[in-house]
Structure formats: C-alpha cells, structure tokens
C-alpha cells in the first residue's frame, strides 16, 4: 500500500490540478468580466504611474517602459496569483463539508494546493493574457531580450502562486478556530495588496520599510519579485532564492497549523 | 465470519460551556457516545438508529476517523481510524446525507473520473463498478450535469456511486434517504438491497426512516443517550416491546359493546360501531375469528402487522 501511495501521488495531484483548471473554466462570464475589469484598471494605473514618470523622469527606479510592463503584467498576474478569492476550504469548514475532504486518501493541503495550481493555470491563459496583450497594444512595454529572463519569470510566478495558495490555506485553517474567516481574509487582502507591490512598486516606499517587507514578510514574493525578475531590476537569482525560502517557511508553518487544526477537530468535534 | 468493525466501551465526551452569569461560564462534559460495544461482521447490513442527538453520527465519525474517541477502542478493517485515516479512506466509502463529496462545479461524470485517480482505482474496475451503478441507479440522464444543478435525489444517487467506485470493504451511510422523494428512496433502497445481496460490502446505515430499516436490515442497533438499547433483529425488537398484531373487522351490524374476547382487546370502534380494531395479545388471528364468527356479522377483515414506527416511538418515549 505504501509504495503506491508515494509513486502515485504526483499523478493524483496532476489530475486534481487538471480538475481545478476545469472547475474554473466553467465560469466563463466571470472570466470575461474579470479580464475586462483588470484591463480597465490597467489603463487607470498605467496613466497615473506614467504621469509621475513624466514629471520626475523615473519612478522608484523604473523608466517609462519598465513601469508600463510592471503595471500591465501586474494586472495580469493579479488573477494568477490569488489575492482576493476567499479560500473555499474556510466555507467548507463552516458548513461541515470539510468532513468529505478528510475522508480522501490524500492529504488536505496537497489537494488544496494542487487545485489552486489548476486554477492558476486557467487564469494564466485567460486573465493573464488579456491585460498583457491590451497593454502591449496600447503602450510601449519593456520586453526583456534574454530568454533566460522569461524562464526565471515563469519560475518566479509559479513560486508566487504556491506561496499565495499556502498563505491562503493558512487563512482558511483559522476557520477551525474562528468559524468565520471574513475578518482574517480582509486583513490578508489588505496586506497582500499593499505590501506585495500590487498597488504600487515597493521601491516607492522608504528603504527601511521596503527592506522590512522583503525580509520579514512573504508579501513581496507574491508580486514584486516576479515583476522585478521580468523587468530586470535587482538580482533575479536573489529574488527567486528569497521566494524559495519563503515558500519553505509558509509550507512548514501551514503543516504545523493544519496538524493542530485537524487535531482540534478530531478531539473537539465540528 | 470476521469482524470488520469492532468497538469496545467506545466513548466520546464533548465539553460544553454554559453561561451562568454575565462573564462566568460553567464547564459541563456531555457524553455523546457512552460505552458502545459493537461487532459488525463482513457482509452485514446494520441499521443504526436512534433519536436526534442519540450519538449515531458521532459513532460514525469515530469509525471513519473524523473524531477521536475519548475512551474505549474502535477498529475498522483492522485499522485504528484517526491515526490511519488516509489509509482507511481507501477501504471505506462514506455518504453523509447532508454533506456532499462531489465537486460542485463539475459534471457528475468528471467527479467520478477524478475519484478514480484520487483512489488509484484500476480503469477496468472503475468502469465495471460505474456501469453497475449507472444501471441500478439510473444515472445516465444526468451524468453530464454539473453537480450544483442536480436535484437532491439525483445528487444522492451520485453520492452513493462516488462512495462505491473504489470498491470499499465498508460503506457508512448517514441518513442517505433524508429529504428524498418516494421514487428516489426506492431507487436508493433497491440499490442497497442489491449491494447487500452480493454480500461483499459491509454496510452501516443510520436513518430516521424506519421503512429503510424494515426493508433492508436484518440487524438493528438502537442507540439512545449514547448507549445501545437494542441489538438484534427487527422481530426481536417487536418481541421485546410486545408489539401486537391487529385485526380490523368491518361489520354489518354495530359492535356489541358487551362482547368478551379472551386474549385480545378492542382498541378502537369507528363508523358507528361498524369498524373495530382488535389487538391480539394472547391469542391467534384464527382463534379470534372463530370467536367473532359466532357472535357478529362479519363483512370484511384485515390483519395488520405491527408497525416498527410504533415500537420505536415507544422505545424513544420510554427513555
């Protein structure tokens, strides 16, 4: 039994990820509405940022094209790296449906992460592509010349998706104690938006604060890191290494919290 | 006969906090399951019933590894459920009537093929089991429908299928017929009867619908206040609670009030004395009829078997 469980796991998770992709692909109107909204906000954010560059010549160390890329690719990544969708698990804990999840022969967190990778894959070919193409047509974007940069960007995005999904799993796990996770979700949405570089490049912040965010929180790993890797600001290797480190930290934390949450469930009941 | 499920002195205590003042709360321990000894052998179909809050679901959750016991032992398929939950999951199937294990936004057929991978079922086994469920549960009409659009009856048939696709040794059903219409109930019952007849799956069924029990279960365990109050056949339950058969007679002339019937008692006189219900206590229907034929003008009669609802109601009420 144990040998099949180890050799079969990657395949199971691949199928679960494919199902996650399929599940999200059933919501076509939501996809169109989301891509449209992301694109509209792209124009708004881009004009605001560029107006700053027009006055000062640069903003936070980015030139015009880099900044336009930062904004438009950021608008695309917004749906790939999950920021705002409340975790499904929290609702399942509240309703009691989590019981069905626990009766699977596969670890809960592995199922959650695989499903989210599928979701991210679907978002990549829909919600990511639309704003980026529109941005390319409407503005002069900075496009890296080195193919390796694109590869590093892809790795960095994958890491960002995993870090975000793990953090959201942590948010969801608080449901085992709190039942209602709306408060925690709001705090997460606020912090992950403001401290990740989603709303504005973190380089606009005072140095000490930006450093504090990079070193002390996983948030810059979600958005600023992949975008800086793409526009070639700072060391790509260093940023990806930072993401790997943060992924290790949040996964370890999530394992501990999940174990305690499930212990609490099996001892105290739903 | 090997024991597939075995519990001994199984207990589950919950701590509840009572508000006793503005800030003060008092701790109280409630035993939801209070010393249950149960052995279920391979292939058995066990009815597990009790009033709301009796501890049925709590027992099932301990057997499936969702709750850890506060005391006593439980083993299912030779495994200890909570620590070995993910291994046990491969050998058991579970349907909670009020929960869903299907993927809300996927068509039923995709949920099934996803489950095949999650449970690592060989394609041929999966196909054979699915074919059987499709026939017996009439799934074809809604296999391509997303689960969120299914009616409750359709969804429950899907849930049953999902619980069986990996060929579990034990199937736990927690109120699988709750809220279903007559046809869906019949479909579910017919399916379970067929499953029982094959004899390779052990089934533990909790329900409030006693027709489920009468039609399906030879063995019935009644639990109340966390304790087993009856473990035996339905007939034994009737015997223990002295359920009585009844004879209903229709007469051409009104019932003579002074008629004495040894070993039987008149329960009800209706329709201006033209219809009488007589409960049999110490006599047989034949003896009663012989006596009646000589005394009254019989037009019609029927013999009613004791109803399980009555005996269960008496059992619950007398606690």
């Amino acid at each position: 039994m144990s040998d099949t469980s180890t050799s079969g796991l990657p395949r199971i998770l691949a199928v679960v990820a494919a199902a996650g992709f399929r599940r999200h692909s059933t919501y076509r109107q939501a996809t169109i509405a989301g891509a449209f909204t992301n694109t509209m906000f792209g124009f708004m954010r881009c004009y605001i940022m560029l107006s700053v560059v027009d006055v000062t010549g640069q903003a936070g160390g980015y030139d015009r094209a880099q900044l336009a890329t930062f904004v438009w690719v950021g608008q695309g990544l917004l749906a790939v790296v999950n920021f705002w969708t409340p975790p499904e698990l929290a609702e399942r804990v509240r309703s009691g449906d989590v019981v069905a999840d626990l009766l699977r022969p596969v670890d809960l967190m592995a199922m959650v992460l695989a499903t989210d990778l599928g979701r991210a894959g679907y978002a990549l070919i829909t919600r990511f592509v639309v704003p980026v193409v529109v941005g390319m047509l409407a503005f002069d974007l900075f496009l890296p010349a080195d193919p390796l940069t694109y590869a590093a960007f892809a790795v960095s995005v994958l890491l960002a998706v995993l870090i975000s999904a793990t953090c959201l799993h942590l948010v969801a796990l608080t449901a085992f104690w709190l039942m209602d996770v709306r408060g925690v979700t709001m705090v997460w949405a606020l912090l992950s938006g403001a401290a990740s570089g989603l709303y504005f490049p973190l380089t606009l912040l005072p140095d000490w604060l930006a450093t504090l965010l990079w070193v002390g929180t996983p948030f810059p790993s979600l958005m600023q890191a992949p975008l800086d890797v793409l526009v070639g600001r700072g060391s790509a290797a260093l940023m990806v290494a930072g993401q790997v480190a943060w992924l290790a930290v949040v996964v370890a934390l999530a394992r501990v919290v999940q174990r305690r949450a499930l212990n609490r469930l099996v001892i105290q009941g739903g | 006969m090997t024991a597939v499920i075995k519990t001994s002195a199984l207990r589950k205590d919950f701590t509840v906090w009572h508000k006793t003042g503005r800030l003060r709360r008092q701790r109280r321990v409630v035993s939801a399951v209070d010393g249950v000894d149960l052995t279920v052998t391979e292939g058995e179909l066990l009815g597990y019933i009790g009033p709301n809050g009796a501890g049925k679901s709590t027992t099932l959750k301990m057997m499936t590894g969702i709750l850890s016991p506060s005391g006593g032992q439980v083993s299912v398929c030779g495994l200890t459920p909570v620590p070995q939950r993910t291994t046990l999951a491969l050998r058991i199937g579970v349907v909670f009537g009020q929960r869903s294990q299907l993927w809300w936004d996927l068509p039923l057929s995709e949920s099934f093929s996803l489950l095949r991978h999650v449970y690592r079922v060989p394609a041929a086994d999966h196909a054979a089991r699915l074919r059987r469920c499709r026939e017996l549960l009439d799934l074809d009409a809604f296999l391509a429908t997303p689960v969120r659009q299914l009616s409750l009856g359709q969804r429950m048939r899907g849930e049953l299928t999902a619980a069986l696709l990996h060929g579990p040794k034990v199937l736990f059903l927690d109120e699988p017929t709750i809220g279903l219409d007559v046809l869906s109930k019949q479909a579910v019952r017919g399916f379970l009867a067929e499953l029982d007849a094959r004899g390779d799956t052990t089934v533990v069924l909790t329900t409030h619908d006693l027709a489920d029990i009468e039609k399906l279960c030879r063995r019935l365990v009644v639990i109340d206040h966390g304790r087993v109050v009856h473990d035996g056949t339905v007939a034994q339950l009737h015997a223990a609670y002295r359920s009585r058969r009844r004879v209903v007679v229709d007469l051409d002339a009104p019932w003579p009030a002074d008629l004495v019937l040894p070993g039987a008692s008149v329960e009800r006189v209706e329709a201006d004395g033209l219809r009488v219900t007589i409960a049999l206590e110490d006599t047989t229907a034949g003896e009663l009829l012989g006596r009646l034929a000589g005394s009254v003008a019989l037009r019609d009669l029927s013999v009613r078997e004791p109803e399980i609802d009555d005996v269960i109601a008496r059992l619950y009420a007398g606690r």
Side-chain angles (χ1 to χ4, degrees):
Chain A
M1 194 68 53
S2 62
D3 56 2
T4 53
S5 70
T6 46
S7 68
L9 191 62
R11 171 148 174 73
I12 291 172
L13 295 182
V15 176
V16 171
F21 184 100
R22 272 285 293 134
R23 290 179 53 194
H24 284 271
S25 70
T26 57
Y27 300 104
R28 292 204 188 122
Q29 281 163 354
T31 305
I32 294 167
F36 178 77
T37 311
N38 292 159
T39 307
M40 286 298 109
F41 272 91
F43 278 105
M44 205 177 79
R45 286 185 55 212
C46 201
Y47 283 127
I48 292 171
M49 290 289 180
L50 290 184
S51 68
V52 175
V53 180
D54 288 341
V55 175
T56 59
Q58 57 87 42
Y62 301 95
D63 64 23
R64 263 189 88 89
Q66 279 176 320
L67 205 54
T69 298
F70 192 98
V71 167
W72 283 103
V73 176
Q75 286 303 105
L77 280 185
L78 169 54
V80 179
V81 180
N82 192 0
F83 280 90
W84 293 324
T85 315
E88 197 182 4
L89 176 67
E91 178 51 33
R92 295 178 65 79
V93 172
R94 212 179 58 77
S95 70
D97 282 345
V98 68
V99 164
D101 300 331
L102 295 181
L103 291 170
R104 303 279 183 231
V106 183
D107 174 70
L108 178 64
M109 183 169 151
M111 291 283 277
V112 168
L113 292 192
T115 305
D116 199 64
L117 276 181
R119 180 204 57 75
Y122 175 71
L124 192 67
I125 60 170
T126 53
R127 302 274 303 268
F128 177 77
V129 168
V130 174
V132 170
V133 168
V134 171
M136 275 203 302
L137 295 176
F139 295 87
D140 288 325
L141 297 193
F142 169 85
L143 297 174
D146 188 350
L148 268 180
T149 306
Y150 292 97
F153 173 67
V155 171
S156 181
V157 169
L158 177 67
L159 287 165
V161 169
L162 286 171
I163 294 169
S164 167
T166 310
C167 289
L168 273 168
H169 186 56
L170 275 165
V171 169
L173 287 173
T174 62
F176 283 92
W177 287 270
L178 303 173
M179 294 312 285
D180 189 342
V181 297
R182 274 178 295 188
V184 186
T185 312
M186 265 172 64
V187 171
W188 157 261
L190 193 74
L191 286 178
S192 65
S196 68
L198 173 65
Y199 298 152
F200 50 83
L202 294 181
T203 45
L204 295 179
L205 294 173
D207 276 348
W208 65 269
L209 184 53
T211 310
L212 184 70
L213 289 176
W214 275 105
V215 177
T217 76
F219 301 116
S221 294
L222 303 179
M223 186 57 87
Q224 186 80 31
L227 292 178
D228 275 352
V229 167
L230 184 68
V231 301
R233 192 176 193 284
S235 156
L238 191 63
M239 277 181 289
V240 171
Q243 284 182 299
V244 171
W246 268 112
L247 181 61
V249 169
V250 292
V251 165
L253 186 62
R255 295 307 308 176
V256 173
V257 174
Q258 176 172 300
R259 189 156 55 240
R260 299 191 68 153
L262 296 186
N263 269 337
R264 186 186 154 86
L265 178 77
V266 299
I267 289 163
Q268 301 198 355
Chain B
M1 288 298 231
T2 46
V4 175
I5 302 172
K6 192 157 173 47
T7 75
S8 58
L10 187 64
R11 292 171 55 80
K12 183 68 195 177
D13 301 328
F14 291 112
T15 307
V16 276
W17 292 93
H18 265 277
K19 234 179 146 163
T20 51
R22 191 161 296 182
L23 290 170
R24 236 175 302 165
R25 294 191 309 166
Q26 204 174 35
R27 189 168 176 271
R28 202 160 61 96
V29 176
V30 177
S31 295
V33 173
D34 191 5
V36 167
D37 299 298
L38 211 57
T39 303
V40 187
T41 53
E42 198 173 338
E44 223 177 335
L45 198 166
L46 176 78
Y48 193 61
I49 69 168
N52 289 321
K56 300 183 300 289
S57 297
T58 305
T59 314
L60 248 58
K61 282 180 181 164
M62 285 193 280
M63 289 174 173
T64 51
I66 301 289
L67 282 178
S68 64
S70 313
Q73 266 93 48
V74 55
S75 93
V76 178
C77 300
L79 299 170
T80 311
V82 169
Q84 295 175 290
R85 185 177 54 231
T86 42
T87 313
L88 182 63
L90 291 166
R91 304 188 197 168
I92 62 172
V94 186
V95 174
F96 288 108
Q98 321 213 43
R99 312 251 176 272
S100 179
Q101 62 163 317
L102 301 165
W103 283 267
W104 201 238
D105 13 36
L106 290 181
L108 207 47
S109 54
E110 285 186 40
S111 277
F112 292 158
S113 62
L114 183 51
L115 285 172
R116 174 170 96 71
H117 289 99
V118 170
Y119 286 88
R120 303 169 203 126
V121 184
D125 293 356
H126 175 86
R129 291 183 192 128
L130 182 56
R131 196 178 324 112
R132 202 161 71 86
C133 290
R134 274 168 51 192
E135 283 164 13
L136 288 168
L137 290 168
D138 239 341
L139 302 178
D140 286 353
F142 49 90
L143 263 182
T145 312
V147 170
R148 63 168 184 276
Q149 291 171 13
L150 296 180
S151 74
L152 183 60
Q154 291 171 333
R155 208 200 76 207
M156 195 49 64
R157 285 184 258 168
E159 300 278 355
L160 267 177
T161 307
L164 284 168
L165 284 175
H166 55 286
K169 294 289 292 170
V170 190
L171 181 62
F172 292 96
L173 303 170
D174 194 1
E175 303 187 25
T177 54
I178 195 165
L180 299 191
D181 64 39
V182 180
L183 285 179
S184 299
K185 269 186 190 175
Q186 279 176 1
V188 169
R189 278 180 203 144
F191 181 76
L192 292 179
E194 205 266 353
L195 190 71
D196 186 35
R198 292 164 63 99
D200 51 4
T201 311
T202 309
V203 182
V204 177
L205 167 71
T206 85
T207 183
H208 285 297
D209 191 329
L210 298 171
D212 291 345
I213 299 289
E214 275 197 306
K215 296 216 165 75
L216 292 171
C217 305
R218 276 182 299 278
R219 180 173 168 207
L220 176 63
V221 170
V222 185
I223 181 175
D224 195 8
H225 285 133
R227 293 166 184 273
V228 172
V229 294
H230 173 83
D231 184 351
T233 62
V234 175
Q236 284 168 344
L237 184 68
H238 283 306
Y241 283 83
R242 296 202 307 191
S243 299
R244 296 172 301 183
R245 299 168 82 202
R246 289 176 176 76
V247 173
V248 180
V249 292
D250 287 318
L251 309 170
D252 279 330
W255 179 253
D258 53 352
L259 189 64
V260 178
L261 299 168
S265 60
V266 174
E267 276 199 343
R268 207 160 48 221
V269 181
E270 295 160 295
D272 295 326
L274 295 180
R275 164 169 285 203
V276 183
T277 307
I278 303 161
L280 303 177
E281 279 153 8
D282 246 350
T283 184
T284 64
E287 275 176 24
L288 178 73
L289 286 177
R291 196 168 296 274
L292 284 177
S295 327
V296 295
L298 281 176
R299 172 196 288 270
D300 198 3
L301 71 104
S302 61
V303 180
R304 307 246 163 109
E305 291 302 317
E307 286 191 25
I308 191 172
D309 288 50
D310 293 342
V311 61
I312 297 291
R314 296 212 317 265
L315 204 158
Y316 290 177
R319 54 186 165 142

